Amino acid sequence: MGGMSSDGNGTLKQVLAALEAEPGLRRKGPDWKAFFARVDQYVPVLRELFSSLYGSRPDWEEHLAALVVECARSWQERPADLKELDARREAEPQWFAAGDMLGGVCYVDRYAENLEGLRGRIPYFKELGLSYLHLMPLFLAPEPNSDGGYAVSSYRDVNPKLGTMAGLREVAAELRANGISLVVDFIFNHTSDEHEWARRAAAGEQEFSDYYWIFPDRTMPDAYERTVREIFPDDHPGSFVQQPDGRWVWCTFHTFQWDLNYANPAVFRAMAGEMLFLANQGVEILRMDAVAFIWKQLGTACESLPEAHQLLRGFNAVCRLAAPSLLFKSEAIVHPDEVVQYIDPAECQISYNPLEMALGWEALATRDASLLSQALERRHNLPDGTAWVNYVRSHDDIGWTFADEDAAELGINGFDHRRFLNSFYVNRFPGSFARGVAFQDNPRTGDCRISGTTASLCGLEDGSPEAVRRVLLLHSIAISTGGIPLIYLGDEVGQLNDYGYADEPGHEADSRWVHRPHYPAGRYAHRGDPSTPEGAIFAGLRRMLDVRSATPELAGNPLIGFNANNRHVLGYQRPGAGRTVLVLANFADTAQHVSAGTLSGFEAGATELLGGRAVSLVDGLTLGAQEFVWLAVKAAG
């Protein structure tokens, strides 16, 4: 495959010739006609990306041709039912923007013990209304220190405590038959030090040493660390860890997680193969873990570099070739201006919305919606063909990701405000209702993040009457702002912190396990009783989800800001054909009024969708403590 032409048409011809010469490819039939049409469309994209990333290497075109051949082999192996799914999704590319989309996320072992137990939960998933289920990392990983599964020892083997890859395929098929898309993590910034590639690198094999960032002494590590920040200072200083043979390997996160070297095209090809393997098991969405860190360049912070976006575009083009229905979900907990850069039909079609999440908690602590209102008006709207994944909390900690310059516009000092929020949510601030736990508390920098379940952070441990209202208030924002709302399963019945987390091997040094409790069977048993906190939360969420699915204005992305002229009240509009849904949410502990003048742009008669009642706006509107309303309104004539 050497000696390819340097022009694009020549490259395409050479790729087609390589495909023709590859033994065992059938290359005939309607599905192959579709594949070769995609080759014509996406090989030029891959060529441009490979030329940019790897053009200084004499073998870059050989790697490109080999990659496309590997895509063809994967397409040939792709099951017929998944090819049918590909065709349906290509015909309806905005399927994930539907108003009835609802995500759930859980750890298989903690929620259902194993994959077989998870299958038994599918009737409940349908009751809740899930159409998207994210199973937290379930691949083979080192024990007991696996970073919650984010240190992968094999992308093709399920943790034997959970089941097998065949079992995962069966779960994916059953979920798909029930209208639920399977989501898993693609941990592609790093592998476990027990992965075969890392073991062979540790043994001194040069081919696999080149898969990682490994240096013989401190010269290059010192040079990189001048500009790279520490991510897990409790685990190890800097970004490099010394190995028994004296060499230094790049470990952005934990000592047992080795960063992959994407400056080597063999790494791109290898990881593309792992990605397509998962797609062929029935995975429909990949959560692209730690996307900001995947490219390194000396003299930079090694975060959110332009090449990181090129790599995502390359992986996306590979998917379009060999698994067209597969989507990417971005996980980038970085500056808000950087988060949105990953959201594009050609990169990550959907993305976590960490700013909305963090500022929901900020507003709950301050009783002031100003920062959240600013963020929704300024940073919410996305390009067509993309969507936010909105969540109240995830498996991870809560970090205060707002931009200091945004806060400064409102007279807020970002550093001081983060210190206040950390103090508030770990119950070190007078009058706090929250029962959170500090994560990665760094006395040197003052940095800290917050662990805790939604209910515990909202005060349910104390039995305060406002706690249920706070839980529902936060979820109302995630459900009504547009995109895919995501629930950490168990939060819909008010699960509490698990303070026994440190007794489990491997968990004692990671406070995030406090908000990853085992399946709260007792709380689920009360979900049908609205007189209990768990029943009230469940009923409130189900009501919101039912109304959302019946309200076209609440589907898709478009959102227009609305100034309620009351800093305690968040306002925004979801526009539609002929009417608008106006959302008002009171974060205060007391009743708040939105004046008639503020609402004078709308007709006096409105419908409150959650209660199904007529509302007059003539005298303005008063909201009770932690009350929210979804108003169907029309512009005043």
Side-chain angles (χ1 to χ4, degrees), residues 122-160:
I122 290 177
Y124 169 71
F125 297 153
K126 293 190 70 177
E127 175 191 343
L128 182 58
L130 293 191
S131 53
Y132 153 134
L133 178 63
H134 180 181
L135 301 182
M136 296 303 294
L138 40 67
F139 304 114
L140 191 65
E143 297 292 349
N145 297 311
S146 68
D147 187 28
Y150 283 94
V152 177
S153 300
S154 171
Y155 297 89
R156 301 191 180 216
D157 293 292
V158 169
N159 183 331

Side-chain angles (χ1 to χ4, degrees), residues 439-453:
F439 175 67
Q440 291 290 331
D441 204 349
N442 189 335
R444 182 172 62 83
T445 63
D447 189 29
C448 170
R449 275 118 62 202
I450 304 299
S451 299
T453 67

